[in-house]
Amino acid sequence: MKDRKKMRFAKIGVFMLSGAIALPASADVSINFSNFVRLDTAYKTTSKQNLNNQRSNLFNDRTVSRETYAPPALFGIPSTSGNDWNVPLVVFDDQVTRGDFIRPGEQDLDYLSLRVESEIQVKFNRNWRFVARVRGLYDPGFYEDFDARSDMLMDPAGNGMVAAGGRADLYEGKTNYFDAPGRNGRNVNPLELTGKNYMIDLPAALVEYKSGNLTVRLGNQQIAWGQAIFFNTLDLPNGLDLRRHSVLDRGFEEFSDKRVPRLSLRATHQYKSLVTDAYVSKFQPTIYGNPNTTYNVIPSQFTIQDNFHSGGYDDKIDVGVRLKTDFGGWGWQLVYASRYNPGGTFRWARTNVSTPIDQAGALGLSASNAYLAKSPLCDGTANPAACRNSDNLGDALAKTPFAAQPGGVISAQEWFAYAADVRLDGIEGVNAAVEGFPDLLDAYATRVDSYDEAYNLLNTFFNATGGLRGFLEREYHRESVFGAGAVYVTESENEWANQIIFNLEAQYTPDRVFTSKDLGVGFYEKDEYIASLVVEKWTRWTEAFPAAYLVAQYQHRSESDLVGRHLSGYGASPTSGPTGIANANYVVLAVLQPWPGREYIFEFASLIDVKGGLLIQPLLQWNMGKGIIAEFYYNYLQGHAWGDNPTENLIDSVDWSDEVAMRVKYQF
């Protein structure tokens, strides 16, 4: 086991120069510090753009027809089976091009940031140590950024130039790279200072106590329990920060730069061969990229309200314990964590935004007048043919997950295309909104029972309002995670069969909560198991070169993909709902080969979704001397390498990210 840890350290290849402050010989205190400055860049190698952003929306350059139909509820007909949306209103039919309202744009530069990090270690005596690391990032924003005030050319409903009612710091004005606010405006991470273009945080700020076989750490810290490339089967303590380069940095770093630091008390104790590692931590969620940033994964037509503070999750506690031992030539471990899942879930949320729609066109004016002609005050009942619950149609929509706002969805084609891309059900998404928010019935919506019904309803509503922005809220759920692992190292006289490390890890979570494929106010609850096999070996091809590190990994997931989306939403298309897939399976193949003297290190990492997705990352690291290290790598992503339906694999959602990247680091 100790040899394995040494091999791990060699594989990571951490280069760090440090200095020491000299103190009087009689003093027990020693101070060491290390610093680096790094420039990160990434450039596109294809014309593909992130379709989740406003300026590169899939429908910006497409003219689509919007046929309109009389709502069945207008005649007092409730939703029934069959195509109820079948009375055409041809006089209101139109054609619309999203690019007439949003200035389209393309970018070649994917990523540019300047990073400064400084670490100080103060050793007071043989028992006590203080460690702090400060990280600062600045992104100058040299992209074709979206600015709601200039790129929102004209709202189709005449409601102004910005997304009123959304998060002003994320959805209005210029693109915001680093702020991560909850619903009340406070950052979800309390120990970071952020703005649109900068972030300063503390990846580490802790006091460490060591005595014999006991180590205790108290403070802001990352807890790394996982060791796999791209996989985090038992890496349970921390969420991930995906605001910077998402997961497309150096694969061999194994999330070391992505784990969200949090206030924790961690204790590790070794008794003979038994190692006990336990923690108590303040819950901190995964942080996703902001709307209209390069690596954003949530369509910007939707406003996200994070309930981290307002839902009371900011004072929740996670606990976990891991037991590791050696027995009979094997290494064993057991893991338990009671935690809030840092990925969270999303569901439809009330907008509380009233926007008049009588300026959206003839249909909007007609719908507004028809609503006003109804008798007021239905006392909460849904009887849209006879009376109304609100003063006007805009107020009725304010009690639903939709608001007539700039930058929303403007056609049924757009709705279904994006539902398929994010692995949701476009038809059931309509029904979940109607059933969860009865004021949609008051606004003439009904449950739909077919693709044609949903298509006709959506185009009618988008035509009447000029387009609708959807509102979602993010919630978090406690879960109990049980894990186990085994490690075995082969011994053989055959060089190829000797010292192969087999590492098997498994996780079981009963009643794990997932986002429903219909975004309903309820959620999926499913038992999930995840199993991973990692096979590692160091081998020397020639005496002239250091040993190469080879690794092959396999992971099987019963309910979700690598980013936590439930598999029931897989397999949709722009013209059909999802079929779902039974399970997800991923393969990783990777190699690390140092040059003599480690002047160069070549790496190759690949992630394969067996349903047809492929990520390949070759990397060359050059140790230039005098504290300068340069890394050059290429991210190739293909979401339809094989298979019949690209929405049945993970990579299809991000295969616009082909890029060549460079990192230049100066350590001092």
Side-chain angles (χ1 to χ4, degrees), residues 414-453:
E414 183 182 353
W415 174 275
F416 280 106
Y418 276 84
D421 184 69
V422 297
R423 309 304 188 259
L424 297 174
D425 190 321
I427 297 174
E428 290 306 316
V430 173
N431 292 333
V434 170
E435 293 171 352
F437 300 86
D439 282 273
L440 273 174
L441 298 173
D442 182 44
Y444 302 120
T446 61
R447 178 180 174 83
V448 293
D449 298 307
S450 67
Y451 174 83
D452 288 338
E453 268 191 89

Side-chain angles (χ1 to χ4, degrees), residues 155-429:
D155 171 36
N159 290 323
M161 302 289 281
V162 297
R167 287 309 316 260
D169 38 14
L170 298 184
Y171 296 93
E172 302 180 15
K174 297 187 67 174
T175 298
N176 188 318
Y177 302 104
F178 293 114
D179 282 335
R183 186 189 287 269
N184 63 358
R186 293 164 52 199
N187 262 11
V188 299
N189 193 332
L191 294 181
E192 67 179 27
L193 178 65
T194 61
K196 290 181 182 295
N197 295 84
Y198 68 88
M199 180 179 83
I200 302 171
D201 73 334
L202 293 168
L206 59 93
V207 175
E208 180 183 88
Y209 172 76
K210 283 189 175 183
S211 178
N213 294 327
L214 174 67
T215 301
V216 179
R217 289 185 168 191
L218 175 64
N220 211 45
Q221 56 188 297
Q222 300 169 319
I223 301 174
W225 278 3
Q227 298 178 331
I229 302 171
F230 297 121
F231 299 163
N232 55 354
T233 310
L234 297 182
D235 200 5
L236 303 174
N238 298 90
L240 300 179
D241 187 344
L242 304 177
R243 284 174 292 183
R244 300 185 292 277
H245 201 187
S246 187
V247 293
L248 297 177
D249 279 324
R250 179 186 176 197
F252 272 86
E253 288 179 338
E254 299 175 348
F255 303 115
S256 61
D257 189 49
K258 303 300 180 186
R259 295 183 182 93
V260 177
R262 56 184 184 168
L263 295 170
S264 305
L265 172 63
R266 182 185 187 185
T268 304
H269 182 266
Q270 181 168 355
Y271 175 72
K272 296 183 179 180
S273 65
L274 176 64
V275 177
T276 303
D277 186 4
Y279 69 87
V280 178
S281 297
K282 179 184 181 296
F283 168 62
Q284 293 295 148
T286 287
I287 303 176
Y288 296 104
N290 281 336
N292 299 304
T293 56
T294 299
Y295 305 101
N296 170 39
V297 295
I298 300 176
S300 296
Q301 305 96 303
F302 295 83
T303 295
I304 307 300
Q305 304 282 24
D306 197 310
N307 289 338
F308 178 70
H309 297 292
S310 58
Y313 302 106
D314 54 341
D315 61 2
K316 300 302 183 183
I317 299 298
D318 292 349
V319 297
V321 61
R322 178 169 66 162
L323 304 176
K324 299 182 68 175
T325 190
D326 298 331
F327 181 76
W330 290 73
W332 304 92
Q333 65 173 316
L334 293 175
V335 172
Y336 171 75
S338 175
R339 66 168 193 168
Y340 280 85
N341 189 323
T345 56
F346 298 87
R347 64 181 177 184
W348 292 124
R350 178 169 165 161
T351 71
N352 294 318
V353 177
S354 178
T355 308
I357 67 169
D358 53 4
Q359 302 178 54
L363 183 59
L365 179 60
S366 298
S368 296
N369 290 335
Y371 188 84
L372 292 174
K374 298 192 295 181
S375 299
L377 303 178
C378 286
D379 296 325
T381 62
N383 188 2
C387 58
R388 51 186 164 88
N389 290 327
S390 302
D391 291 335
N392 56 65
L393 197 49
D395 287 351
L397 287 175
K399 303 171 186 177
T400 78
F402 304 104
Q405 290 185 345
V409 182
I410 67 170
S411 70
Q413 293 94 318
E414 183 182 353
W415 174 275
F416 280 106
Y418 276 84
D421 184 69
V422 297
R423 309 304 188 259
L424 297 174
D425 190 321
I427 297 174
E428 290 306 316

Side-chain angles (χ1 to χ4, degrees), residues 51-240:
L51 55 84
N52 294 311
N53 292 333
Q54 293 285 0
R55 296 197 66 187
S56 50
N57 184 287
L58 190 63
F59 287 84
N60 279 351
D61 59 354
R62 297 186 188 181
T63 299
V64 296
S65 298
R66 296 191 300 198
E67 299 83 8
T68 57
Y69 292 81
L74 189 65
F75 310 112
I77 304 173
S79 176
T80 59
S81 60
N83 187 2
D84 293 321
W85 286 78
N86 59 6
V87 179
L89 300 175
V90 179
V91 67
F92 295 116
D93 291 355
D94 70 354
Q95 291 185 321
V96 64
T97 304
R98 202 173 189 279
D100 291 340
F101 313 110
I102 304 292
R103 190 193 306 275
E106 296 182 356
Q107 67 181 47
D108 297 320
L109 177 64
D110 269 357
Y111 185 57
L112 175 64
S113 76
L114 179 67
R115 173 193 295 235
V116 179
E117 284 198 25
S118 181
E119 180 175 300
I120 182 171
Q121 298 188 24
V122 182
K123 185 176 181 180
F124 298 99
N125 52 48
R126 63 186 298 177
N127 300 114
W128 291 94
R129 186 172 68 123
F130 172 74
V131 179
R133 187 162 78 251
V134 180
R135 172 172 55 194
L137 291 108
Y138 175 70
D139 189 321
F142 293 158
Y143 318 106
E144 292 294 327
D145 271 347
F146 174 75
D147 187 338
R149 292 180 174 87
S150 59
D151 294 329
M152 200 82 67
L153 302 182
M154 179 57 67
D155 171 36
N159 290 323
M161 302 289 281
V162 297
R167 287 309 316 260
D169 38 14
L170 298 184
Y171 296 93
E172 302 180 15
K174 297 187 67 174
T175 298
N176 188 318
Y177 302 104
F178 293 114
D179 282 335
R183 186 189 287 269
N184 63 358
R186 293 164 52 199
N187 262 11
V188 299
N189 193 332
L191 294 181
E192 67 179 27
L193 178 65
T194 61
K196 290 181 182 295
N197 295 84
Y198 68 88
M199 180 179 83
I200 302 171
D201 73 334
L202 293 168
L206 59 93
V207 175
E208 180 183 88
Y209 172 76
K210 283 189 175 183
S211 178
N213 294 327
L214 174 67
T215 301
V216 179
R217 289 185 168 191
L218 175 64
N220 211 45
Q221 56 188 297
Q222 300 169 319
I223 301 174
W225 278 3
Q227 298 178 331
I229 302 171
F230 297 121
F231 299 163
N232 55 354
T233 310
L234 297 182
D235 200 5
L236 303 174
N238 298 90
L240 300 179

